[in-house]
Amino acid sequence: GHDSIGVVNPSSNWYLAEGTTKGGWETWVLVQNPNPNEVNVDMVFQTGTGQVQGPQETLGAGSRKSYLVDLYVDTFDVSTQVTSYMGDVVCERAVYFTPEGRTIRELGHDSIGVVSPSDTWYLPEGATAGGFDTWVLVQNPNPDWVNIDMRFQTGGGEVQGPVDSIPPHS
């Protein structure tokens, strides 16, 4: 199972940094239109090899729709940018896993998106001991390369993480 926090305001721009559509994983982008009028939605997927146009649709007033990202891209690395016109929307990303040879999903997780990119992010949760893996997923919705410098705060102090460059729209 999974759950996500809500948001206090809809927005015309949403960024969802995480997603994967390979290896038994499926990713969904969930869009809610809380408005009393219809809105147009434009979804773009950002992968390690560049941008892929996603659905462009009109959502009815007071409605929601789930979009299966797997129908548009086949990759371990996909981020999503959602833009709405004629009204603000709310976006969330849900990911599910079905192991090879199984027919039912065994796990899932989700998260709301963010409404604007930033050059600084703070992530307070993470574990790498006891069989846990922690992943930090970075989306670059910009038309230019960006440099990242990750630092991890641990019980023993700060540890230098990856320093990397991320291509545009990936």
Side-chain angles (χ1 to χ4, degrees), residues 46-85:
Q46 295 158 335
T47 72
T49 57
Q51 267 190 173
V52 176
Q53 181 63 56
Q56 296 175 307
E57 291 191 1
T58 300
L59 290 182
S63 69
R64 69 168 298 282
K65 185 165 182 180
S66 299
Y67 296 91
L68 180 59
V69 177
D70 302 47
L71 298 176
Y72 301 90
V73 295
D74 185 28
T75 179
F76 280 110
D77 299 311
V78 60
S79 296
T80 306
Q81 182 175 350
V82 178
T83 305
S84 66
Y85 305 93

Side-chain angles (χ1 to χ4, degrees), residues 2-7 30 91-93 109-113:
H2 60 76
D3 66 352
S4 179
I5 62 171
V7 299
L30 317 164
C91 291
E92 178 179 332
R93 182 262 322 130
H109 60 92
D110 69 343
S111 179
I112 59 169

Side-chain angles (χ1 to χ4, degrees), residues 20-26 70 74-76 95-101:
T20 186
T21 61
K22 291 185 87 142
W25 296 94
E26 63 185 74
D70 302 47
D74 185 28
T75 179
F76 280 110
V95 176
Y96 301 98
F97 178 67
T98 305
E100 186 175 336

Side-chain angles (χ1 to χ4, degrees), residues 151-154 156-160:
R151 296 164 191 266
F152 306 114
Q153 278 78 50
T154 72
E158 187 170 271
V159 175
Q160 179 66 51

Side-chain angles (χ1 to χ4, degrees), residues 16-168:
L16 304 147
E18 182 187 11
T20 186
T21 61
K22 291 185 87 142
W25 296 94
E26 63 185 74
T27 297
W28 294 81
V29 174
L30 317 164
V31 183
Q32 175 191 14
N33 175 13
N35 298 289
N37 55 286
E38 61 185 24
V39 299
N40 293 325
V41 174
D42 181 15
M43 199 173 299
V44 176
F45 303 112
Q46 295 158 335
T47 72
T49 57
Q51 267 190 173
V52 176
Q53 181 63 56
Q56 296 175 307
E57 291 191 1
T58 300
L59 290 182
S63 69
R64 69 168 298 282
K65 185 165 182 180
S66 299
Y67 296 91
L68 180 59
V69 177
D70 302 47
L71 298 176
Y72 301 90
V73 295
D74 185 28
T75 179
F76 280 110
D77 299 311
V78 60
S79 296
T80 306
Q81 182 175 350
V82 178
T83 305
S84 66
Y85 305 93
M86 303 181 338
D88 294 345
V89 298
V90 178
C91 291
E92 178 179 332
R93 182 262 322 130
V95 176
Y96 301 98
F97 178 67
T98 305
E100 186 175 336
R102 303 292 299 269
T103 58
I104 60 170
R105 297 178 180 131
E106 295 218 352
L107 63 91
H109 60 92
D110 69 343
S111 179
I112 59 169
V114 298
V115 298
S116 66
S118 178
D119 61 3
T120 303
W121 289 96
Y122 299 94
L123 307 167
E125 197 273 336
T128 57
F132 287 97
D133 291 326
T134 295
W135 294 83
V136 177
L137 304 135
V138 179
Q139 176 182 12
N140 177 11
N142 300 296
D144 299 311
W145 283 78
V146 295
N147 297 319
I148 62 166
D149 180 358
M150 272 188 222
R151 296 164 191 266
F152 306 114
Q153 278 78 50
T154 72
E158 187 170 271
V159 175
Q160 179 66 51
V163 175
D164 203 355
S165 295
I166 309 295

